[in-house]
C-alpha cells in the first residue's frame, strides 16, 4: 500500500503578542505534514520563517514538489537529498520519525540512541517592550528559573535593568535577534555582565559577525541566525561559544542530531531552540534538549491554545512527549 501525504495549514493564536526586534505577531501559522501507511500515521510541524525567505506558500510548494517520491516510500536518508535544510524538510522529516515509531511500536528516542528522555527546564520568553512593560512581564514570570529576554538595540540597558528588577533571582538569557551593532557591542555586553546574563544570542547580523572573533566575550555568545546545519559550524569557530539548534533551520530531527554531535565535537555548547509553534513542533526537539546546556522550547507556553494532546508543562519543566503526540 503506498504512503499517503496530507498537508494542513493551521493557525494558533498567541497569548497577547510575540515581539522581537524584527516585528510582532499575534498567531503562530504552521504547516503540518501527515504521512499515513495503512493504519499508522506520523505527523510533523514546521513554522515557515520570513527571515529565511520562507512562507506558507513556499513551504507547501516545496513539499508538494517531492510528493511523488514521498508517497513512493522515500526514507529519511533520501529526504536529505530531496529537500534543502529548512522548514519544509523539517515537517516531513519529523513526520517520518513519528511514522517509524508508530509502525514499530518503538519510541523515537530509542531509535535515535537515547535510553530514556528526562524532563527539561525550558526558558520562558519575554517579548521586547518598554522597560515598564518588560518589568511587569518579568514580575509575572519571576518564579520561572530561566527567562529569555528579547532585546532590540537602543534602550536595551534600561530594558535589562527593568527585567532584573522584576525577576531578581531568575537566570537570564538575552536574544538581540541581530539588532546590535559593532560600535555598541562592547557596551551592550558589559551591561549584560552587570545584570548577570548567562548567555547572549546572535548580537550581530549573520554575515556581519566577524568582530566577535576579535573582541573579549565576557559572556558566552550563541549563534542563532548564523547557525543552520552541520555545514555552517566551521565558520562559527572563534566567534561563538554555543549554537542554537532549531529543527526548522536544520530541516528536521535527522540533521539536528548530526549537527548536535558535530557541535559538541567542535567544542560548542548547545541550545535547543524553537520557533513559536505547538507541542507537535516541540516534541522532537526534546531529543536535542537532552544534549543542551540551555533549552528554549516554550512555544506552547506562549500560545492561547495548544494542540490536544500536548506536552505537559509544570511551570517551566516539560515532560517527555506522550506517544499520542509524537514519536
Amino acid at each position: 500500500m503506498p504512503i499517503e501525504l496530507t498537508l494542513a495549514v493551521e493557525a494558533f493564536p498567541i497569548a497577547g503578542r510575540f515581539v522581537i526586534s524584527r516585528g510582532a505577531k499575534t498567531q503562530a501559522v504552521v504547516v503540518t505534514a501527515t504521512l499515513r501507511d495503512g493504519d499508522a500515521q506520523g505527523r510533523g510541524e514546521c513554522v515557515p520563517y520570513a527571515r529565511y525567505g520562507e512562507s506558507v506558500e513556499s513551504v507547501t510548494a516545496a513539499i508538494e514538489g517531492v510528493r511523488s517520491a514521498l508517497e513512493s516510500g522515500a526514507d529519511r536518508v533520501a529526504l536529505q537529498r530531496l529537500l534543502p535544510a529548512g522548514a519544509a524538510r523539517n515537517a516531513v522529516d519529523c513526520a517520518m520519525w513519528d511514522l517509524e515509531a508508530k509502525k514499530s511500536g518503538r519510541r523515537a528516542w530509542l531509535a535515535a540512541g537515547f535510553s530514556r528522555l528526562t524532563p527539561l527546564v525550558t526558558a520562558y520568553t519575554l517579548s521586547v517592550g518598554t522597560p515598564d512593560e518588560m518589568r511587569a512581564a518579568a514580575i509575572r514570570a519571576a518564579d520561572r528559573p530561566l527567562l529569555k529576554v528579547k532585546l532590540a538595540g537602543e534602550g536595551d540597558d534600561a530594558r535589562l535593568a527593568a527585567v532584573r528588577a522584576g525577576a531578581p533571582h531568575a537566570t537570564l538569557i538575552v536574544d538581540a535577534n541581530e539588532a546590535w551593532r559593532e560600535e555598541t557591542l562592547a557596551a551592550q555586553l558589559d551591561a549584560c555582565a552587570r545584570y548577570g546574563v548567562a548567555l547572549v544570542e546572535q548580537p550581530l547580523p549573520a554575515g556581519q559577525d566577524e568582530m566577535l572573533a576579535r573582541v573579549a566575550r565576557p559572556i558566552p555568545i550563541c549563534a542563532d541566525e548564523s547557525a543552520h546545519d552541520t555545514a555552517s559550524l566551521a565558520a562559527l569557530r572563534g566567534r561563538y561559544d554555543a549554537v542554537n539548534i532549531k529543527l526548522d533551520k536544520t530541516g528536521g530531527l535527522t540533521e539536528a542530531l548530526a549537527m548536535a554531535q558535530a557541535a559538541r565535537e567542535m567544542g560548542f555548547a548547545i541550545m535547543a531552540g524553537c520557533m513559536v509553534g505547538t507541542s507537535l513542533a516541540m516534541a522532537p526537539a526534546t531529543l536535542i534538549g537532552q544534549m543542551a546546556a540551555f533549552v528554549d522550547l516554550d512555544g506552547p507556553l506562549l500560545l492561547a491554545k495548544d494542540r490536544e494532546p500536548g506536552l505537559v508543562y509544570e511551570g517551566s519543566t516539560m515532560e517527555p512527549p506522550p506517544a499520542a503526540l509524537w514519536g
Side-chain angles (χ1 to χ4, degrees), residues 95-305:
M96 285 180 166
W97 277 93
D98 191 27
L99 180 60
E100 292 167 17
K102 297 298 194 296
K103 288 173 63 177
S104 67
R106 184 173 183 239
R107 295 306 304 266
W109 63 70
L110 295 172
F114 297 92
S115 59
R116 61 190 293 265
L117 294 188
T118 60
L120 300 170
V121 175
T122 180
Y124 181 80
T125 302
L126 304 182
S127 288
V128 172
T130 67
D132 286 346
E133 290 170 340
M134 296 186 75
R135 183 176 186 275
I139 290 172
R140 292 192 295 270
D143 59 339
R144 295 183 181 273
L146 180 62
L147 298 179
K148 179 170 176 173
V149 183
K150 292 289 189 177
L151 296 178
E154 185 177 350
D156 281 348
D157 193 312
R159 292 185 180 100
L160 274 174
V163 169
R164 179 49 81 198
H169 305 298
T171 297
L172 301 183
I173 301 168
V174 305
D175 186 1
N177 284 115
E178 305 179 282
W180 293 357
R181 296 295 176 260
E182 290 188 2
E183 58 269 22
T184 58
L185 177 65
Q188 286 161 319
L189 290 176
D190 286 344
C192 288
R194 287 200 311 276
Y195 297 115
V197 171
L199 187 75
V200 175
E201 271 191 82
Q202 197 68 40
L204 300 176
Q208 301 176 35
D209 51 6
E210 301 91 345
M211 182 183 181
L212 296 177
R214 307 191 303 270
V215 300
R217 300 197 294 271
I219 299 165
I221 297 180
C222 179
D224 183 1
E225 286 86 350
S226 292
H228 287 260
D229 55 11
T230 304
S232 68
L233 291 173
L236 307 180
R237 280 177 159 168
R239 300 181 186 182
Y240 294 94
D241 307 289
V243 292
N244 188 339
I245 299 179
K246 296 178 179 177
L247 273 61
D248 276 314
K249 294 188 299 178
T250 65
L253 179 60
T254 301
E255 173 63 15
L257 291 167
M259 182 180 179
Q261 180 62 33
R264 292 201 295 185
E265 291 172 356
M266 295 170 69
F268 292 108
I270 293 171
M271 181 176 187
C274 67
M275 307 303 184
V276 182
T278 77
S279 284
L280 181 58
M282 304 305 119
T286 61
L287 277 67
I288 304 303
Q290 303 298 307
M291 300 179 278
F294 294 94
V295 174
D296 177 28
L297 299 177
D298 64 342
L301 297 177
L302 305 176
L303 300 177
K305 185 178 182 180

Side-chain angles (χ1 to χ4, degrees), residues 57-95:
E57 293 77 17
S58 72
V59 165
T60 54
I63 299 173
E64 289 290 355
V66 297
R67 173 183 287 276
S68 177
L70 298 177
E71 294 189 333
S72 296
D75 61 10
R76 287 188 287 105
V77 175
L79 179 65
Q80 310 308 302
R81 300 189 297 269
L82 289 169
L83 289 172
R89 194 175 75 189
N90 178 34
V92 178
D93 183 76
C94 291

